[in-house]
Amino acid sequence: MFNFNGELLEDNTSFLNEKNRGVQLGDAVFEELRVLNGDIIFLEDHYLRLMSSMRILRMEIPMNFTMEFMEEEILKCISENDLKVAKQIKFTVFRNSLDDFSISDNTISYFITSKTLTNPFFILNQDDYEVELFKDFYKNSSMLSNLDSNNKVLSVVGAIYAQENDYQDCLLLNERKQVIEALNGNLFVVKGNQIKTAPLTDGCINSILRKKLIEMLSKLNDFEFLEDSISPFELQKADELFIVNNIDGIISVTKYRKKKFVNTIAKNLIGKLNAAARMSLTKSV
């Protein structure tokens, strides 16, 4: 079921017309969220990030586009029978205009899709997960790279490369050949008592789970946390690599080239992450 501008449409309804610049030009941003028992995990964080993304892209934000409005529109997609299961929500906003990039009135439309998740809370993926650098194309270190936009061609090509070479994921580089993230989320590198992730200025996605993990890691007394550029040479020297995203939770990297990794810190963090998720639901009640 689709929620398009507040109207529920059937799956086979087409709204891919010439004014859908999200489809025609990739002129769209989105948020992926988890809904549990009718409550949206980290709702305020997702709402503020979506508003920030729309402002960066100079979209006109309607006066009624409040956090409460966003919540109501999301919950329209969830039937009473689905309230007790976990749902993945994708809230997409695109600009209304003809498919001529030089002509725009900056007003927006939105559509919302949902699907059922197997796990209600975040999990730690401990399956074999081998990664490799993707060097065919680079991601620019700019503010636009921090957004979740509909321009995912780099991720698509990278995923095909990973599949062709039997990797579970690839690590992306920016134009300065710094490691910024994985195709499947933000990358964290552990070496000794130091944990670090790429800064936003290097071009990584500014995800909500990245933000939540940084808040947690900054409070760990036994570790030093850094937002700092990551060199490819650091990867094989690391003790642990893990990837985070808003849907899967935490994914432990098991192998990069000849190096195999432990998952000690990831195991420690998954409980803290789910505690924070539960706390966000408590605050919203």
Side-chain angles (χ1 to χ4, degrees):
M1 187 172 289
F2 292 87
N3 179 336
F4 178 59
N5 285 344
E7 181 183 357
L8 295 180
L9 307 176
E10 297 300 324
D11 282 350
N12 60 357
T13 302
S14 175
F15 54 88
L16 307 182
N17 56 44
E18 65 176 0
K19 289 192 175 184
N20 189 333
R21 286 167 60 109
V23 173
Q24 304 293 345
L25 299 176
D27 185 8
V29 289
F30 64 86
E31 283 293 309
E32 288 187 304
L33 316 90
R34 297 174 76 95
V35 179
L36 181 62
N37 296 328
D39 292 316
I40 303 169
I41 295 176
F42 303 137
L43 171 61
E44 183 177 2
D45 295 284
H46 283 291
Y47 171 75
L48 292 175
R49 180 174 183 252
L50 182 60
M51 294 300 100
S52 174
S53 298
M54 292 168 69
R55 289 189 186 98
I56 289 170
L57 294 186
R58 299 180 184 276
M59 291 178 172
E60 183 179 307
I61 302 175
M63 291 295 293
N64 69 329
F65 210 126
T66 62
M67 186 170 70
E68 291 73 21
F69 172 82
M70 182 179 181
E71 180 179 24
E72 289 171 4
E73 293 303 297
I74 288 172
L75 295 180
K76 283 182 181 179
C77 291
I78 301 175
S79 67
E80 289 187 11
N81 293 331
D82 286 337
L83 285 177
K84 293 183 179 181
V85 299
K87 287 288 185 176
Q88 174 182 343
I89 297 292
K90 186 173 182 179
F91 195 118
T92 303
V93 177
F94 64 92
R95 204 181 320 256
N96 296 321
S97 293
L98 298 177
D99 59 356
D100 181 346
F101 72 89
S102 64
I103 303 173
S104 174
D105 62 11
N106 291 332
T107 61
I108 59 100
S109 285
Y110 61 90
F111 63 92
I112 308 165
T113 58
S114 69
K115 63 181 180 181
T116 301
L117 290 169
T118 304
N119 299 291
F121 282 98
F122 301 111
I123 63 168
L124 172 62
N125 185 338
Q126 302 182 74
D127 297 335
D128 289 341
Y129 204 85
E130 184 176 358
V131 301
E132 180 53 83
L133 295 178
F134 183 58
K135 297 183 285 188
D136 289 4
F137 304 102
Y138 300 126
K139 191 176 180 184
N140 289 327
S141 53
S142 74
M143 189 180 293
L144 290 178
S145 295
N146 302 150
L147 310 182
D148 267 322
S149 74
N150 275 22
N151 184 357
K152 293 295 182 183
V153 65
L154 175 59
S155 297
V156 171
V157 177
I160 293 171
Y161 172 84
Q163 184 178 22
E164 290 174 345
N165 292 278
D166 294 324
Y167 300 120
Q168 281 66 56
D169 206 338
C170 281
L171 305 181
L172 299 178
L173 303 168
N174 64 17
E175 76 281 6
R176 299 191 297 273
K177 298 184 179 179
Q178 297 159 331
V179 182
I180 56 172
E181 63 192 2
L183 295 171
N184 203 21
N186 294 100
L187 177 69
F188 288 76
V189 179
V190 182
K191 173 62 176 175
N193 69 339
Q194 185 184 88
I195 307 174
K196 74 174 181 177
T197 193
L200 296 179
T201 50
D202 279 357
C204 65
I205 287 289
N206 185 19
S207 74
I208 298 305
L209 245 62
R210 175 186 183 274
K211 174 186 174 183
K212 294 301 176 184
L213 262 290
I214 287 175
E215 291 174 359
M216 294 173 199
L217 293 169
S218 300
K219 296 176 183 177
L220 295 180
N221 296 326
D222 297 333
F223 290 90
E224 177 191 16
F225 173 72
L226 298 173
E227 285 185 75
D228 199 7
S229 297
I230 301 169
S231 163
F233 300 107
E234 296 179 53
L235 300 178
Q236 287 179 289
K237 297 178 181 179
D239 300 318
E240 183 173 350
L241 303 178
F242 59 89
I243 298 161
V244 301
N245 67 54
N246 293 324
I247 300 303
D248 297 316
I250 302 178
I251 303 167
S252 288
V253 175
T254 57
K255 185 179 180 183
Y256 168 70
R257 297 185 179 175
K258 294 182 179 181
K259 181 65 181 286
K260 295 185 178 180
F261 303 97
V262 299
N263 64 354
T264 308
I265 303 302
K267 283 182 177 179
N268 178 266
L269 289 173
I270 192 65
K272 297 179 187 297
L273 180 60
N274 280 317
R278 290 185 179 94
M279 184 65 70
S280 79
L281 296 181
T282 302
K283 289 180 179 178
S284 66
V285 173

